[in-house]
Amino acid sequence: MVASLDGRRRVIIEGVSPAVGEGKFAAKRVEGDVVRLEADIFGDGHDVISAVAFYRHESAKPVEIRMIPLVNDRWRAEITVDRIGRWYFTFEAWIDHFLTWHRDLRKRVDAKAEDLEVQVRIGLEMIRAAAGHAGKRDRRKLESFIATLEGDDPIDEKIDDIWSEDLQALMWRSSGRELATRYECELPIEVDRRKAAFSTWYEMFPRSAAGKAGEHGTLRGMVANLPRIATMGFDVLYLPPVHPIGDKFRKGRDNRVKAEPDDVGSPWAIGGSAGGHMAVHPQLGTIDDFEALAVAAAQHGIELALDIAFQASPDHPYVAQHPEWFLKRPDGSIQYAENPPKKYQDIYPFYFETEAWQELWNELRDIFLFWAGKGVRIFRVDNPHTKPLPFWQWVIAEVRRDYPDALFLAEAFTRPKIMYWLAKAGFSQSYTYFAWRNTKWELTEYFTEITKPPVSDFFRPNAWPNTPDILTEYLQHGGRGAFETRLILAATLSSNYGIYGPAFERMVHAPREAGSEEYLDSEKYELKTWTDDEDDLTELITIINRIRRENPALQQNETLMFHPTDNDQIVCFSKTSGENVVITIANVDPHNEHSGWIDIDLAAIGLETGQPFQVHDLLRGARYTWQGAQNYVKLNPHVMPVHIFRIRRRVRSEKDFEYYL
Amino acid sequence: MVASLDGRRRVIIEGVSPAVGEGKFAAKRVEGDVVRLEADIFGDGHDVISAVAFYRHESAKPVEIRMIPLVNDRWRAEITVDRIGRWYFTFEAWIDHFLTWHRDLRKRVDAKAEDLEVQVRIGLEMIRAAAGHAGKRDRRKLESFIATLEGDDPIDEKIDDIWSEDLQALMWRSSGRELATRYECELPIEVDRRKAAFSTWYEMFPRSAAGKAGEHGTLRGMVANLPRIATMGFDVLYLPPVHPIGDKFRKGRDNRVKAEPDDVGSPWAIGGSAGGHMAVHPQLGTIDDFEALAVAAAQHGIELALDIAFQASPDHPYVAQHPEWFLKRPDGSIQYAENPPKKYQDIYPFYFETEAWQELWNELRDIFLFWAGKGVRIFRVDNPHTKPLPFWQWVIAEVRRDYPDALFLAEAFTRPKIMYWLAKAGFSQSYTYFAWRNTKWELTEYFTEITKPPVSDFFRPNAWPNTPDILTEYLQHGGRGAFETRLILAATLSSNYGIYGPAFERMVHAPREAGSEEYLDSEKYELKTWTDDEDDLTELITIINRIRRENPALQQNETLMFHPTDNDQIVCFSKTSGENVVITIANVDPHNEHSGWIDIDLAAIGLETGQPFQVHDLLRGARYTWQGAQNYVKLNPHVMPVHIFRIRRRVRSEKDFEYYL
């Protein structure tokens, strides 16, 4: 006999959700979200079960909420997480003898049972016991019921009293729960600010901000770019590393092994005589300039995202100050980064198996804290999958303890289980395989996987059609239509998306060589001069980002749903948020016009079959009246390869109608 | 900083299997099974990982086995569980610096790297460290490698030495694993004897064994039935309760509220003046007779299964001796079983919320132990879902501690999560919804769910076309063809199956009333006289059970696979075991002939496309040569509604061919 076991606890609670790794990791939500707390709850026999959920913000005491049974022994309570930080929940359930008796009494009355007197006495005993537990006011009320049931009234009248809702409420509050089952642990939910779920990123090299050929841009000079970026509708400006760049083994243009004297080097080769991860590259400016840029950006509704790349150039001060943080080879040289036969002599990785790993971890945490102290709350972390995974779980928790509004984007293009683990460990957002998912089948499979539980409970996609490292073949060869399609797919499939500009809006598409995804004359190794171009994608980007702001459906992913089409080159999907319904239909062949029939699951998006509905093309302004699920589309990549339709569910009044104009 | 954390442990282990409820429950296997121990194992960067599984029988020390990487960071080790009892396994994995260096050295050599001297010195340091850990013999061998690598040989020769498999084996045995990650717990596997996975049940009321009208059968009389049951091929004989039956409130024929003086009562109303759960009904015989029947059955290769029904008639000795085990109503009467408005006055349920619940649990355990002491090792447990679920987890573990070969069949026809929980808690086999799954779609959905992980890791179906409580409409109205189809589906879909006879083989099909699943003149309440009938299903049952014995494919469920057919009345499925492949094709419409095309997934059952193969109809003896996936069948329920084909993969020799004749 297990000593601690009370065999009279007859209820089982299992299959709880949301639960990431059975509660080892936190589920992710954002401020204001309604969270469905669910569990499988059941016991033996036919008795009625009652169940509650307990939930609390980390700083508060638990609140109890009654659960509702759904089907198949699944129970639910809905809560609103209205503060950022960590929340916890758990469950309690028990055999509810009063409700069981109450339910059965109805059946007995209906069946004209002979033993109603005895049955009333059984209930009376339960009410007496509850009165013993109850507070003063409730006790008085329960005693009044007891008096009636003990009295001389006819049995019918006593039973009428038992049906009183007051009695049920009193019994709910006062019944004993001595034999309740409590779920074995509390489960965590990490609640972020809303930007974690809905953000629009623009990546730009500040050293290319000068606008004049050959001139090194500055952080102050970036200020002049802010109006353009804000007008396009971006709310996060992501800067590649702004730190001093090493001289030793500096890479030349197009990643050449030897740099020319005027080559600027890669910003990811961090550290030089002017300092390391807590310094600003002298040609970019100063820490003060950085803070000034952050303030100016905020005035445009833009937040800065800083690149955190944990590696050092051979000139990084750490190399001399902390040789124990680097791996020394038998010949005394420091091990540079390599993936044989490839060599990256301009970069020393940290040696995370050093005896001094705790000091190293603390220093790396302090880099986050340093920049958080300068106002940064979004960190884009470079290659987290090449540093020990447990480090990220620790450092993100450390930073968020002081800065609970800090967000982290994982730049890990690696195997799926590692990407998922990083997200579980705490990364707020993650880069995805979007850049290489071009066909209807690929897009459907991939975005269904990453936008539904269990993955969506911990993984928030951030979709990028390009980055300084990724110029896909689709963009290289697809022309303007390819850029348009990929922009709109990113912006409508994923509530978080971004572009690397101005290369994207200028539709830069020449690779370093055939078969390479590197840009020719990559900005990673040289200054660029970007001047205005009226024919670029700026206007389309501006429209798309406005559509995202105006349609709550596009600000989340959980309602994403793909609808069948009869042409494999045409993908169709919807997102809904309350009354707001947006359907995107894209031709994924950048070379040819395609037409076909789409087959919309009307019920799933809240439309009634047989009712006409209006679709409003948010790109072209046109309005069509559709009826039924099947509708015809024709999309020409040389004109505009995508429809974004907002659906009018029904006209209820002129005022309602206005809203959709 | 977490004090206990060593941040240098860089490997993550998760997603382990088999794991039922994350290891809270044991996965189920049988003696001799090969078990695939799997986990997701990964770390940061590109380093090579090594991993081992540790496994042990509960009575033995752990054994280590090296794991193999599959795809997508999934790793596997295969072990054979060759003893019944509880086994445990866990995993350990680490960054393998030697193998990483070894792999990279190959790449460096291929790329004609300049730093091979340094690289050899890096390896040399690892080999020296390993020699420090190694046992005497290994150390000597490692030192010989060290001498060579330190010596004056040309670098090419040194590197040749490094490729030696001896060195790799030595390094595998001797490398340090200081920074290995150990999975957080041991996971349990419950290994049963093979009968848990493959058994053929026959249920019979011993009191109907006399063979003469009006005469009460006896356990001694059952002995005469054994040759018939053994010849049909059954290896488990399940007896409804054999205990004294109460007189008070005894039910009459067809479950009438009032019994006539000569009514025998329901065997499930257990307990009378002659004793309770540890006694034998005087008209059936004695405990000695029971033991004699068990011995005689064993001589026929048949094991007895006893019915365990935890409830008492009002005459049960417990009622007087342990009034605290029953719920008393306010009028002093004992609460009989009811599900309002239905009443079962002949049965008192135990009151599991009694203060004396521990004594009650112990007594119920002792009932199992009593019969185990009389040689019973199979218990068919009546309605376990109406007793506290945690009780079963406890009592099964208690009984198996003394009798690890004891098996338990859960007779719980209830909601799916409760049925699954009982299986997780320890029931070796479970009744299923099979009786009510008649259409192709129902059979496909249901048997796919219960024969694949995660369900198949803990739930072993036992399929019954009929029971004394269940005479389905399909059998009531379908005629002989319905009985044939349901028999063969049960016997081929599920490696464990059973029938309630002789009612089944005699095709008894009259219900108590229209819409009822109760038998008319149910044997639950009266004696039956069964005499031989040459036209019954005995011969078909005999053939089917022989087919099951001769075809290992039918002795397990894990390879069950459904194949498409173009007629919704024709279901087609296969099972394979090594070279043995059996395909069952059934017409599920008992009234009409159906024909259609089946589309066999040849690759999935090990057949080569384009090669002809022979199918041997094990029921009719006919042989056909089929070619390709699509083949035509026509099945007449008035002749024989099912094909059972054994597939000959290829003719390799005359001798091979003989085997299939």
Side-chain angles (χ1 to χ4, degrees), chain B residues 604-617:
Chain B
I605 60 170
L607 291 172
E608 287 165 41
T609 340
Q611 294 279 1
F613 56 95
Q614 195 192 67
V615 298
H616 177 188
D617 188 326

Side-chain angles (χ1 to χ4, degrees), chain B residues 338-350:
Chain B
E338 42 174 0
N339 188 7
K342 288 190 210 161
K343 300 175 182 182
Y344 310 90
Q345 297 96 330
D346 60 336
I347 288 171
Y348 288 167
F350 290 114

Side-chain angles (χ1 to χ4, degrees), chain A residues 219 222-223 226 237 239 288-298 304:
Chain A
L219 295 174
M222 271 301 288
V223 173
L226 293 172
L237 171 58
L239 307 175
D288 285 348
D289 294 343
F290 181 87
E291 290 190 272
L293 174 61
V295 168
L304 295 190

